[in-house]
Amino acid sequence: MTETDINTPIPSIQPEIPVPSTYGANNIQVLDGIEHVRMRPAMYIGDIHSRGLHHLVYEIVDNSIDETLGGFNDYIFVSLNPDGSVTVIDRGRGIPVDIHPEKGKSALELVMTVIGAGGKFDKGAYKVSGGLHGVGASVVNALSEWCEVEVYRDGKVYFQRFERGIPQGDVKAIGSSDQRGTKTTFMPDHLIFKITEFRKDIIVDRMRELAFLNRNLSITVQDPQGEQEVFHFEGGLKEFVLFIDENRMGLLKEPIYIYGERDSTIVEIALQYNDTYQENVFSYVNNINTQEGGTHVTGFRKALTRTLNAYAQKNDLLKNLKLALTGDDFKEGLTAVISVKVAEPQFEGQTKTKLGNSETQSIVETILNEQLSEYAESNPNVLKVIIEKVKGAAMSREAARKAKELTRRKSVLESSGLPGKLADCSINDPEHCELYIVEGDSAGGSAKQGRDRSFQAILPLKGKILNVEKARLHKMLENEEIKTIILALGTSFGEEEFSTEKLRYGKIIIMTDADVDGAHIRTLLLTFFFRHMRSLIDAGRVYIAQPPLYLVKSGKDQQYAWDDDERNSISDSMKKMQKGKANIHIQRYKGLGEMNPEQLWSTTMDPAHRSLLLVSVENAMEADHVFSTLMGDKVEPRRDFIEKNARYVRRLDV
Ligand code: 0RA
């Protein structure tokens, strides 16, 4: 876990870049803008770590996407260059280079230097304006050591270079070309960013997503070794749904696809039912993932429930079902992508990823009602399959309810007692309390003795918890380990009962052995939190403990190492101090149980010395993909995934 103040002021314009004395009032404003971006980068791009760094690429690509939405561009090329810079090329209209009559500068220079200028130009109807998106190329420019733009327009190639946002000369024609488009290359400023290395997998995930969302667009990603991946999906959202469900068994031959336009809003939906019990609905507005949902999602749910219900009633498909269907029954095994293009999107919510436009709800609802009923009439066999699935969900819901009633026992989750295995802490202010979920009784024993019992609670687990990826709710509640965890957390469980407010600990820390079993148990726990207590992850409550891998000893000198490099450098330096005659002993910790309580405390549990990994979900779609690959039914994709990712195992990004 890194704990850095994202608002730490950053040295702004560097002294070695002189400010030209000919700069007038306009320029002062431009410089103020650039300086502000450099002083408070997090205000513009979220943070100055990996996330903010990758955001730079998205900003530039967004401009090309705008050209695509306007119908002017069908190709984007993104290159991660060997020198650490990034190039983005499109075949759009090219940024205009003519001189702005009042400002006396080229449009290109204004786009690149005036913060917020991007939006003032005709950028097409569906501008990206959600959250951090759409802050524009000028912000990227201000945060780049250097940035070079080439524009292909009117048979010419134009060029302008910037350093830390400041133009190094005017735009000038440097050649001729029969192409149209824009090429931007920028080098992220190491004075601003804590991390300046781009990760191909992060870029690839977003470019793939953009290609799914814009079926006419082809995106090529090139890595520093020159290897290219091309993303182009003529099936658009349909292929997106198939990709999401790659590791699940689909119940329909192919996803249902809906497209419609009304009052300049474009609605696109693809949906499929699969043989699992989870729901996966991903939604987008102007290509932005609306993680908090919003009116478009509400419209989708209403229309889906209503249309399917009406069809089932009309065709007498519910005759032997003795109960009414609820909205939840339509969710089991549903995978859907909803993508709307809205001219003036209003974003709300904590992370500004919730669509607020009320008219969008009725537009989505109307289009889906109309087209899904039409689809239903001409595909009765598909509808039969879906209604059977929905009925299955309703019956299992009823069975679970009856089982609860019959036993007349208070549900374990409503009982007030804490689980017997829990060694609780003594203070009860959740913000200051931590729960360690520990693998195995012996490690649990060490942790109980080593902890600071005032604020650290220990919950030892016996062996593996249930794989929740494929289990229905009531099956999960029959599992002892899962019940124990839910009881200890205090949050209760299930769509209605679960509440973050009742959480008894500010930090939930998963502490497992550094071996295969440990990794498995950790994944099972993460699957559980991701699928059923996602809000705890989103609230930054879930952590992974990082016990050391080695103890390097030489006489009385003892040091811990967290990886092989560290182990080697410690033993090297021990040899040098002691001039080569050191007798070095290296112990590899396989299990937490091999550490005595003091060691466990000082390396892994003491807040002053430990390092924790914060579990976060940057991209819900990717996370879903990882969990369904690792925990689902299909063996092939799991093997592929493990082979491909074996080299990343030290980094746990979920
Ligand atoms: C302003 C106006 C026009 C195009 C663009 C900006 C533009 C910006 C970027 C950024 C990356 N690629 C881009 N492509 C176009 C319209 C110009 C016209 O009417 O010809």
Side-chain angles (χ1 to χ4, degrees), residues 376-407:
E377 292 307 330
S378 39
N379 296 275
N381 292 336
V382 175
L383 265 287
K384 233 181 234 160
V385 173
I386 296 178
I387 300 300
E388 274 311 303
K389 173 81 181 174
V390 175
K391 275 163 74 177
M395 290 184 313
S396 95
R397 170 171 57 83
E398 181 63 7
R401 195 187 60 79
K402 275 203 179 126
K404 243 195 216 170
E405 253 179 25
L406 274 181
T407 49

Side-chain angles (χ1 to χ4, degrees), residues 60 63-64 67 90 92-96 111 121-123 153 180 182 184:
I60 299 297
N63 289 325
S64 306
E67 285 293 284
D90 66 48
R93 290 168 294 179
I95 306 178
V111 166
F121 288 83
D122 161 31
K123 286 181 71 189
R153 244 182 113 98
R180 294 203 77 169
T182 305
T184 310

Side-chain angles (χ1 to χ4, degrees), residues 302-547:
K302 281 188 137 178
L304 182 73
T305 308
R306 198 186 121 173
T307 307
L308 293 181
N309 221 339
Y311 178 89
Q313 300 282 358
K314 192 176 136 204
N315 293 279
D316 215 12
L317 298 176
L318 304 175
K319 48 180 175 271
N320 39 24
L321 188 74
K322 304 246 171 337
L323 62 155
L325 297 176
T326 71
D328 283 350
D329 299 332
F330 293 87
K331 293 182 178 176
E332 268 197 24
L334 169 69
T335 295
V337 179
I338 305 153
S339 169
V340 294
K341 308 272 162 62
V342 179
E344 297 281 342
Q346 242 76 75
F347 289 100
E348 306 171 344
Q350 253 184 347
T351 54
K352 289 262 177 280
T353 58
K354 181 178 183 183
L355 185 69
N357 303 48
S358 58
E359 74 281 5
T360 311
Q361 178 177 325
S362 55
I363 293 174
V364 173
E365 217 174 317
T366 312
I367 290 175
L368 186 56
N369 271 334
E370 273 173 24
Q371 297 199 23
L372 191 58
S373 335
E374 235 170 74
Y375 176 94
E377 292 307 330
S378 39
N379 296 275
N381 292 336
V382 175
L383 265 287
K384 233 181 234 160
V385 173
I386 296 178
I387 300 300
E388 274 311 303
K389 173 81 181 174
V390 175
K391 275 163 74 177
M395 290 184 313
S396 95
R397 170 171 57 83
E398 181 63 7
R401 195 187 60 79
K402 275 203 179 126
K404 243 195 216 170
E405 253 179 25
L406 274 181
T407 49
R408 289 205 135 266
R409 236 182 326 132
K410 241 187 159 189
S411 145
V412 268
L413 305 176
E414 289 153 27
S415 80
S416 55
L418 289 169
K421 293 203 267 177
L422 175 74
D424 210 2
C425 50
S426 58
I427 58 175
N428 50 20
D429 171 11
E431 277 317 309
H432 295 102
C433 294
E434 303 177 343
L435 176 69
Y436 278 84
I437 301 179
V438 186
E439 166 189 2
D441 283 336
S442 81
S446 282
K448 278 181 198 173
Q449 289 176 48
R451 68 177 170 151
D452 180 332
R453 62 175 60 239
S454 70
F455 70 99
Q456 293 179 318
I458 310 293
L459 182 68
L461 292 183
K462 238 202 191 89
K464 297 195 172 151
I465 73 163
L466 178 77
N467 177 2
V468 299
E469 188 68 12
K470 293 165 26 203
R472 274 202 168 112
L473 233 54
H474 64 277
K475 266 272 169 284
M476 292 176 40
L477 297 182
E478 287 163 14
N479 183 268
E480 280 307 319
E481 303 306 310
I482 288 187
K483 272 195 293 202
T484 310
I485 294 170
I486 299 170
L487 271 183
L489 295 177
T491 54
S492 192
F493 189 68
E495 210 144 329
E496 273 145 45
E497 290 87 12
F498 177 84
S499 151
T500 333
E501 262 112 77
K502 289 186 275 176
L503 182 64
R504 300 178 59 248
Y505 308 93
K507 289 192 171 76
I508 302 158
I509 302 167
I510 299 171
M511 187 159 76
T512 57
D513 289 345
D515 60 8
V516 182
D517 277 348
H520 190 203
I521 291 170
R522 184 174 55 213
T523 312
L524 289 166
L525 284 166
L526 288 172
T527 308
F528 171 70
F529 285 119
F530 178 69
R531 293 289 181 211
H532 298 285
M533 298 192 170
R534 171 72 192 276
S535 57
L536 296 186
I537 296 182
D538 292 340
R541 299 296 192 191
V542 183
Y543 296 80
I544 294 168
Q546 296 265 82

Side-chain angles (χ1 to χ4, degrees), residues 289-301:
N289 183 204
T290 34
Q291 294 211 24
E292 299 174 87
T295 49
H296 53 327
V297 180
T298 310
F300 164 80
R301 289 195 193 290

Side-chain angles (χ1 to χ4, degrees), residues 25 41 60 65 78 134 148 181 307 345 362 410 548 583 587:
I60 299 297
I65 293 281
V78 180
E148 294 181 346
T307 307
S362 55
K410 241 187 159 189
N583 190 359
Q587 183 186 351

